[in-house]
């Protein structure tokens, strides 16, 4: 719901689309076209079905199965551009020893997302890795923006909803974050 107002009349790239919740909201908000990318064929089929069930099945939308990093590189190399890019990857860090690799992964995926954005486009990017703090995630995004030579502004900070409460005794439960 938070991203939907940004989608009207925009070409949307929805990466790690899973069953297409972002695609449903984008299409309902009047996105010009939605491109969904996921590694799972079954998830993409479910996403298409969710669009159909919501009366949003459209010829202009596309569904691409493949490794997100490889697909995004291919789209970039083809010269494709989008007005809005959604990056909602699965958890990249399951333990402290994976934080360095996870931050590299977040930087890489966000660099690719920024390279696929039209000037003035909107990047909606998320992390669900509890070991990656909001501050660290923002620093990763800053590094990605510097490396691709893009000026990036934060329009909104996004966090988990009230259905994911955070106990004061367990601050790591605040694992969902987005910009």
């Amino acid at each position: 719901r938070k991203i939907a107002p940004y989608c009207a009349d925009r070409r949307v790239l929805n990466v790690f689309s899973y069953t297409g919740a972002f695609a449903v909201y984008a299409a309902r908000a009047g996105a010009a076209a939605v491109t969904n990318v996921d590694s799972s064929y079954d998830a993409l089929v479910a996403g298409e079905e969710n669009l159909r069930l919501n009366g949003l099945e459209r010829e202009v939308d596309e569904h691409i199965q493949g490794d997100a990093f490889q697909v995004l590189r291919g789209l970039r190399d083809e010269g494709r551009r989008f007005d809005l890019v959604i990056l909602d990857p699965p958890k990249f860090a399951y333990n402290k020893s994976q934080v360095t690799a996870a931050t590299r992964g977040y930087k890489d995926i966000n660099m690719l997302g920024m390279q696929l954005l039209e000037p003035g486009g909107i990047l909606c990017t998320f992390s669900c890795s509890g070991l990656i703090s909001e501050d660290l995630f923002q620093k990763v995004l800053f590094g990605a923006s510097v490396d691709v030579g893009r000026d990036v502004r934060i329009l909104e900070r996004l966090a988990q909803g009230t259905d994911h409460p955070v106990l004061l005794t367990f601050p790591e439960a605040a694992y969902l974050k987005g910009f």
Side-chain angles (χ1 to χ4, degrees), residues 39-55:
S39 61
S40 168
Y41 173 80
D42 292 338
L44 287 169
V45 169
E48 289 181 72
E49 178 67 3
N50 285 332
L51 286 165
R52 189 191 64 72
L53 290 170
N54 282 277

Side-chain angles (χ1 to χ4, degrees), residues 67-171:
D67 175 86
F69 294 89
Q70 292 174 1
V71 170
L72 294 185
R73 283 184 177 83
L75 292 172
R76 179 199 61 199
D77 295 347
E78 292 170 12
R80 298 274 305 268
R81 295 291 176 266
F82 299 86
D83 304 303
L84 189 141
V85 174
I86 302 166
L87 303 173
D88 189 25
K91 189 175 189 177
F92 280 0
Y94 290 90
N95 58 57
K96 288 182 182 181
S97 69
Q98 296 173 329
V99 169
T100 300
T103 56
R104 279 196 302 269
Y106 284 119
K107 184 176 183 184
D108 190 24
I109 203 76
N110 281 282
M111 286 173 52
L112 290 164
M114 290 176 196
Q115 290 169 336
L116 288 164
L117 270 179
E118 288 284 4
I122 296 175
L123 175 69
C124 304
T125 184
F126 302 91
S127 167
C128 64
S129 296
L131 295 168
I132 306 295
S133 68
E134 180 183 0
D135 182 58
L136 177 55
F137 191 49
Q138 183 177 332
K139 288 175 181 171
V140 167
L141 297 175
F142 172 71
S145 71
V146 168
D147 286 358
V148 298
R150 298 288 299 258
D151 288 326
V152 177
R153 286 180 277 240
I154 296 173
L155 300 176
E156 292 188 57
R157 293 174 185 274
L158 304 171
Q160 60 211 50
T162 56
D163 60 336
H164 284 72
V166 178
L167 290 169
L168 290 176
T169 56
F170 185 59

